Amino acid sequence: MKKQRISLENFSTTKKPDDQDDGSSSSASNSATTTTAGINPNTNTAYSPRYYELFRKRIQLPVWEYQSKFIDQLDNNQIIVLVGETGSGKTTQIPQWCVDYCRKRKIKIGVSCTQPRRVAAMSVAQRVAEEMDVQLGQEVGFSIRFEDCCSPRTILKYCTDGMLLREAMSDPLLEAYSIILLDEAHERTLSTDILMGVLKQVVTKRNDLKIIVMSATLDAGKFQQYFDNAPLMNVPGRTHPVEIFYTPEPERDYLEAAIRTVIQIHVCEEEGDCLVFLTGQEEIEEACKRIKREIDNLGPDVGPLKIVSTNIAETSLTIDGVVYVIDPGFSKQKVYNPRIRVESLLVSPISRASAQQRAGRAGRTKPGKCFRLYTEKAFKNDMQEQTYPEILRSNLGTVVLQLKKLGIHDLVHFDFMDPPAPETLMRALELLNYIGALDDEGEMTDIGAIMAEFPLDPQLSKMLISSCDYNCSNEILSIASMLSVPQCFVRPNEHKKAADDAKLRFAHIDGDHLTLLNVYHAFKQNHEDPNWCYENFINYRSLKQADNVRQQLARIMDRFNLKRISTEFTSKDYYLNIRKALVSGYFMQIAHLERNGAYLTIKDNQIVYLHPSSVLDHKPDWVLYNEFVLTAKNYIRTVTEIKPEWLLRIAPVYYNLDYFPQCEAKRQLEFVKNKMIAQREKRV
């Protein structure tokens, strides 16, 4: 099939941005301080041929010619703010320069580079280990939640910002490190913001610690200001020009528009990889399937096609070869409403800064094109300049617990870059007080100190610790692990009926938490067989991950002498005890069945429905839920039937009916309470 050069009729174009190549690459190969011959100082062995092959690529990176300037800045400043475009090489090269810097200055070689995402921490560590000609997990390692790939020999560690924050709990001055790099700081994740506040305090006590804040956007003034006018270093990425196209009219269905645009590009444009930004796994799978079907229908003359991604490809990972970017203008963002205590992932419009980042992915290898599935007017008038920091739209329960554990008690005066709303902080303190992590004065309790050691939400930690009192900590360990990994049930579009039938084989009459326990037990009984998972529509990777998580949580339990015990399986209390332990952590997430057939959440009075994925085949009067899902309807997901008397016994303060709003649930609880009192008096 002969390819025609035609314009895409659905788009209007804007002028090309100026090419940012300043042509000053001649000094790149001369500025190398990394040794390119002889012995590898990291291993004291000769370099491999692969090292030289990668080194030739490294010296072509835009960041390379700024090495001597960077070293000068590092010599003269304790904190540096560095702006480098995605693809400039800052994430892979600068941490290596820091290792060289420590070695040459004869200071302790301990370098940590944080990433907002697990995938980025792992993939970058793998690449840098190759570039340094060392084995991953030895001199170069990574640390993410529930996975630690480091050793006593590790001198450069890539980790998620949350993991470095956890390290600060046991090492408040982070003395393991001489240099800490906060990468992708512009993403402003919850942990990044807290980490910046903590590091700002640490540098006042450690004048030997150097901090490098790395951002991919030019909005670095805020970081400079926050770190007391730290110097700014700019590393431009030599990207090719990118032509931007907009739709003349708003698109009604962005997924349909994205697929249509991919096909048009594939048929009409020159060769080059295509990158589509979608909001999540389901959308990506649907798009891939529909694109494949469309391409197959075009016959053998058109070649294969790739790539579809979430916003992880926006800044965290650079994909070479991308020439075309399709940007529908949406991403999934965490949103928290403190009034009704609901945190949800919602598909929301992206910011202008994100749109610019996405467009930039197209100009890495040669001139590219970005197709924005929204109008130019929407871009200029309707999109906000920057994405709101996560700290302004999150439940802060975990954050407050971590800060308390770090010895930061005055939360109101903690130096947040963007202080959260007082109501959000109050909700977090209230939650931690009800579950016993903080006392009435706001001080951390003994149980709160143990809860902070688990890399889990506070409610999950409380459930795990309390499970020892209900003789079911082994089972709750398994359930907590299953709740900490991606969904284990697979439901392919072409095999929905078979997948649903398979799920029913694991279904427990009392609900979804016990169903997850059944799945985990069956996985272990079938010797962790991948074929068994495939035949039962179970995600093997999720189960293996849950098994790994379980081992780590078990080690933490052992450290605090929390007994791992089970009720006899033949006992009538086996499942009752597990459900009571669930209530001990999640008694604030209860819903009551109303006469109209819908559920009402306790105290917050939100009308909700059981999620279609629940195995419950009936509507119990009282249910505990793990998650609140906001879509066209309000759903509660991962649901288990409970008894109202457990609420009164396990959480008497929260269920003090004197302070309860008038509702059907209150009347039911009063009836149950009176019945319990009568039974007690009868026994006396």
Side-chain angles (χ1 to χ4, degrees):
M1 182 187 286
K2 187 167 180 255
K3 286 196 177 179
Q4 286 180 278
R5 292 283 301 145
I6 65 167
S7 62
L8 279 83
E9 70 272 18
N10 288 348
F11 293 89
S12 59
T13 181
T14 61
K15 68 179 190 308
K16 297 180 185 182
D18 294 331
D19 189 349
Q20 292 176 346
D21 186 348
D22 60 6
S24 57
S25 59
S26 58
S27 63
S29 56
N30 300 328
S31 63
T33 63
T34 308
T35 181
T36 58
I39 300 298
N40 184 342
N42 300 303
T43 58
N44 292 320
T45 58
Y47 283 116
S48 69
R50 175 72 173 151
Y51 169 81
Y52 296 109
E53 182 191 327
L54 290 175
F55 188 80
R56 283 191 288 276
K57 290 180 181 173
R58 289 168 63 194
I59 61 177
Q60 301 301 318
L61 289 166
V63 74
W64 195 267
E65 63 200 81
Y66 295 87
Q67 186 172 0
S68 55
K69 185 180 174 187
F70 170 76
I71 298 299
D72 287 344
Q73 290 273 24
L74 202 54
D75 265 331
N76 297 318
N77 300 283
Q78 192 174 4
I79 301 176
I80 304 168
V81 176
L82 186 143
V83 172
E85 288 183 24
T86 306
S88 63
K90 65 182 187 305
T91 305
T92 54
Q93 303 312 302
I94 291 177
Q96 293 184 61
W97 299 347
C98 290
V99 169
D100 288 345
Y101 178 89
C102 293
R103 185 175 283 122
K104 288 183 176 171
R105 300 298 186 279
K106 293 189 167 47
I107 55 179
K108 178 181 177 167
I109 308 179
V111 178
S112 175
C113 180
T114 69
Q115 297 292 318
R117 292 185 175 87
R118 298 162 56 94
V119 176
M122 290 189 287
S123 58
V124 175
Q126 175 71 60
R127 173 69 184 194
V128 171
E130 279 190 73
E131 290 186 0
M132 288 174 66
D133 215 14
V134 298
Q135 192 180 339
L136 180 67
Q138 294 300 313
E139 288 76 14
V140 176
F142 68 82
S143 175
I144 59 177
R145 194 166 80 128
F146 301 126
E147 199 169 337
D148 185 43
C149 182
C150 294
S151 75
R153 292 173 59 182
T154 301
I155 52 177
L156 170 54
K157 180 197 284 188
Y158 284 88
C159 60
T160 51
D161 33 26
M163 288 310 291
L164 189 59
L165 204 49
R166 297 202 77 79
E167 278 189 53
M169 288 185 193
S170 51
D171 179 11
L173 294 179
L174 292 164
E175 292 186 54
Y177 304 108
S178 299
I179 302 175
I180 292 174
L181 303 99
L182 298 183
D183 198 10
E184 312 290 4
H186 62 276
E187 294 220 357
R188 300 290 305 280
T189 65
L190 201 50
S191 295
T192 300
D193 270 26
I194 303 301
L195 199 48
M196 284 195 288
V198 169
L199 289 174
K200 198 172 172 181
Q201 293 188 354
V202 171
V203 290
T204 62
K205 298 167 188 164
R206 273 194 64 193
N207 57 12
D208 62 324
L209 177 66
K210 304 226 178 237
I211 309 289
I212 299 145
V213 181
M214 301 201 290
S215 170
T217 61
L218 293 169
D219 183 35
K222 195 161 187 176
F223 295 115
Q224 283 182 277
Q225 196 178 349
Y226 180 72
F227 286 108
D228 305 321
N229 298 316
L232 174 67
M233 184 176 164
N234 215 322
V235 179
R238 283 197 305 279
T239 54
H240 297 273
V242 176
E243 200 170 356
I244 309 280
F245 295 88
Y246 293 91
T247 56
E249 299 295 328
E251 291 288 351
R252 278 176 46 189
D253 180 344
Y254 68 79
L255 186 61
E256 175 63 43
I259 292 163
R260 192 173 65 238
T261 307
V262 169
I263 305 303
Q264 279 187 294
I265 290 170
H266 192 54
V267 172
C268 306
E269 294 286 334
E270 292 172 358
E271 199 173 301
D273 287 348
C274 211
L275 174 60
V276 187
F277 285 98
L278 296 174
T279 65
Q281 184 182 341
E282 282 178 20
E283 241 177 40
I284 288 173
E285 286 172 357
E286 174 69 13
C288 289
K289 198 165 78 234
R290 283 166 63 181
I291 289 169
K292 185 180 183 305
R293 194 164 59 226
E294 293 277 353
I295 295 296
D296 289 347
N297 290 342
L298 291 174
D301 290 340
V302 292
L305 167 135
K306 55 187 177 186
I307 304 159
V308 181
S309 172
T310 62
N311 60 333
I312 190 169
E314 206 173 283
T315 58
S316 290
L317 295 173
T318 299
I319 304 164
D320 285 327
V322 172
V323 179
Y324 306 103
V325 163
I326 293 138
D327 173 18
F330 293 95
S331 70
K332 266 191 186 154
Q333 292 180 19
K334 195 186 285 181
V335 180
Y336 179 62
N337 182 338
R339 289 221 165 86
I340 56 172
R341 284 185 291 235
V342 169
E343 187 174 66
S344 279
L345 277 172
L346 294 182
V347 173
S348 314
I350 59 171
S351 63
R352 286 200 290 276
S354 287
Q356 300 289 30
Q357 285 292 334
R358 290 181 176 191
R361 303 305 90 235
R364 293 290 317 126
T365 353
K366 64 180 189 180
K369 294 182 178 180
C370 173
F371 298 92
R372 290 178 172 162
L373 305 183
Y374 41 89
T375 63
E376 190 170 8
K377 182 168 172 269
F379 174 76
K380 288 177 176 171
N381 302 337
D382 301 342
M383 285 182 171
Q384 61 197 51
E385 185 58 40
Q386 298 284 342
T387 308
Y388 283 121
E390 205 177 344
I391 199 161
L392 302 182
R393 45 189 176 86
S394 294
N395 177 350
L396 299 181
T398 306
V399 167
V400 171
L401 196 58
Q402 284 180 327
L403 289 174
K404 291 279 185 184
K405 181 76 176 178
L406 287 163
I408 296 159
H409 302 296
D410 187 357
L411 302 177
V412 176
H413 294 104
F414 180 73
D415 195 357
F416 292 106
M417 187 182 267
D418 285 286
E423 187 177 11
T424 311
L425 267 178
M426 288 307 295
R427 281 296 197 192
L429 290 165
E430 180 186 66
L431 163 77
L432 294 171
N433 177 241
Y434 277 129
I435 62 175
L438 301 179
D439 62 22
D440 290 345
E441 277 69 53
E443 296 302 312
M444 184 176 267
T445 61
D446 291 343
I447 194 173
I450 298 173
M451 283 166 64
E453 292 291 326
F454 286 95
L456 300 168
D457 284 341
Q459 287 155 290
L460 213 47
S461 305
K462 174 65 190 295
M463 175 180 89
L464 202 47
I465 294 165
S466 301
S467 64
C468 302
D469 301 332
Y470 295 98
N471 295 324
C472 60
S473 52
N474 278 319
E475 288 73 17
I476 291 294
L477 251 180
S478 303
I479 292 170
S481 305
M482 292 291 282
L483 293 172
S484 301
V485 300
Q487 173 64 258
C488 70
F489 293 109
V490 180
R491 193 172 185 255
N493 272 339
E494 58 275 23
H495 300 297
K496 282 181 182 173
K497 174 78 169 66
D500 291 344
D501 290 346
K503 186 175 180 178
L504 284 176
R505 291 199 284 274
F506 302 103
H508 192 283
I509 191 170
D510 292 324
D512 301 314
H513 294 85
L514 298 175
T515 300
L516 291 176
L517 181 64
N518 285 347
V519 172
Y520 182 77
H521 282 166
F523 176 67
K524 298 301 280 185
Q525 284 159 6
N526 285 278
H527 314 293
E528 304 177 19
D529 180 9
N531 287 329
W532 175 85
C533 289
Y534 180 78
E535 287 160 10
N536 287 281
F537 294 89
I538 299 293
N539 185 326
Y540 173 74
R541 282 176 63 188
S542 285
L543 266 294
K544 280 301 285 181
Q545 202 179 334
D547 201 34
N548 179 25
V549 169
R550 193 184 189 283
Q551 289 169 32
Q552 294 193 45
L553 294 178
R555 284 198 289 272
I556 299 172
M557 289 188 78
D558 294 347
R559 206 166 80 222
F560 291 101
N561 296 318
L562 295 167
K563 287 181 185 168
R564 289 196 270 144
I565 45 178
S566 298
T567 304
E568 268 301 320
F569 186 66
T570 51
S571 165
K572 65 176 176 36
D573 292 330
Y574 178 79
Y575 287 116
L576 285 175
N577 285 346
I578 296 170
R579 287 156 65 202
K580 286 176 186 174
L582 291 173
V583 171
S584 68
Y586 285 94
F587 57 81
M588 293 172 77
Q589 292 183 197
I590 305 293
H592 177 256
L593 183 64
E594 301 296 295
R595 288 173 186 166
N596 62 5
Y599 282 87
L600 204 62
T601 59
I602 294 299
K603 283 199 179 181
D604 300 319
N605 292 330
Q606 295 297 299
I607 297 168
V608 293
Y609 300 87
L610 298 181
H611 195 272
S613 65
S614 177
V615 299
L616 282 171
D617 59 359
H618 62 294
K619 286 185 175 177
D621 285 347
W622 296 87
V623 291
L624 168 151
Y625 60 92
N626 208 64
E627 216 182 332
F628 191 113
V629 184
L630 286 167
T631 53
K633 283 165 104 174
N634 292 350
Y635 288 111
I636 47 177
R637 187 159 59 192
T638 316
V639 177
T640 288
E641 180 175 2
I642 57 132
K643 295 186 185 299
E645 53 266 34
W646 299 346
L647 302 172
L648 297 168
R649 286 197 190 107
I650 292 169
V653 177
Y654 191 75
Y655 286 89
N656 182 337
L657 299 178
D658 295 341
Y659 303 102
F660 226 74
Q662 279 301 332
C663 58
E664 182 58 31
K666 180 178 181 177
R667 286 187 284 278
Q668 292 279 337
L669 286 168
E670 282 172 335
F671 174 76
V672 170
K673 186 179 180 182
N674 290 335
K675 197 173 168 185
M676 285 165 67
I677 292 169
Q679 284 172 342
R680 204 179 303 135
E681 286 172 350
K682 195 174 176 183
R683 280 198 298 273
V684 171

